Amino acid sequence: MSFELLKPQVETIISNSTKTKNERLQAICQLLESNIDYYNWVGFYFVNGDKQELILGPYVGEPTDHTVIPFGKGICGQVAVSNKNFVVPDVKAQDNYIACSLTVKSEIVVPIFVNGKNVGQIDIDSNTLDPFTEKDERFLEFVCEKVSSIL
């Protein structure tokens, strides 16, 4: 399904105030994972208060042991420090990569900002080598912008 067709569905999920924040985040994970065939793990990480770490939020995909990630560690931890999107075409080529599954070949992480502050991120793993394009980045920036409105 095209990103343009998914955008109104993301907006509908976000605007559903009868659901909790976590239910809406979970629904977004499910929407993306089920409609984009190379999105094999979709989840959110959020800054843990004043601590220099991220905690795992709602996600869809294989269970992960990485429920807490220190700032600077792995791709997610690096995005928490850099405040920039990070696209990894081949995880084997990254020194500071935290392996979640042997099947993961690439990853994209896009930060979520609230009032200019990085409060979390969306993290997507793919079992396909180098599938992410600029279109993925722009779409995920859109998703993060919408998510920021409920945080």
Side-chain angles (χ1 to χ4, degrees):
M1 181 176 289
S2 85
F3 294 135
E4 291 308 310
L5 292 175
L6 288 171
K7 283 181 176 182
Q9 294 180 58
V10 169
E11 290 175 318
T12 298
I13 291 168
I14 291 296
S15 65
N16 184 353
S17 59
T18 64
K19 302 277 187 191
T20 68
K21 174 185 73 171
N22 279 348
E23 287 171 331
R24 289 183 266 180
L25 294 173
Q26 186 71 42
I28 287 172
C29 292
Q30 291 167 332
L31 175 74
L32 301 187
E33 191 273 339
S34 62
N35 285 284
I36 303 170
D37 57 357
Y38 55 93
Y39 284 20
N40 303 112
W41 191 97
V42 178
F44 291 96
Y45 282 93
F46 293 101
V47 175
N48 187 8
D50 292 333
K51 296 180 182 176
Q52 296 287 297
E53 65 185 19
L54 299 164
I55 52 172
L56 181 62
Y59 73 94
V60 171
E62 293 289 317
T64 179
D65 293 334
H66 304 113
T67 57
V68 178
I69 298 176
F71 281 17
K73 187 160 172 59
I75 307 308
C76 290
Q78 289 178 72
V79 169
V81 173
S82 74
N83 298 320
K84 294 186 170 120
N85 299 352
F86 199 156
V87 179
V88 182
D90 181 357
V91 296
K92 288 184 180 161
Q94 280 294 317
D95 291 340
N96 193 7
Y97 173 69
I98 303 171
C100 292
S101 166
L102 296 174
T103 61
V104 175
K105 293 187 172 46
S106 56
E107 182 174 11
I108 185 171
V109 179
V110 176
I112 302 167
F113 296 98
V114 173
N115 298 323
K117 184 178 179 193
N118 184 342
V119 299
Q121 53 202 228
I122 190 166
D123 177 22
I124 299 176
D125 292 342
S126 179
N127 299 339
T128 303
L129 196 61
D130 197 14
F132 303 114
T133 68
E134 190 174 323
K135 288 180 181 177
D136 291 276
E137 282 192 78
R138 299 298 83 82
F139 172 67
L140 293 171
E141 287 168 353
F142 167 85
V143 170
C144 289
E145 183 182 320
K146 295 303 172 187
V147 164
S148 73
S149 71
I150 62 169
L151 298 178

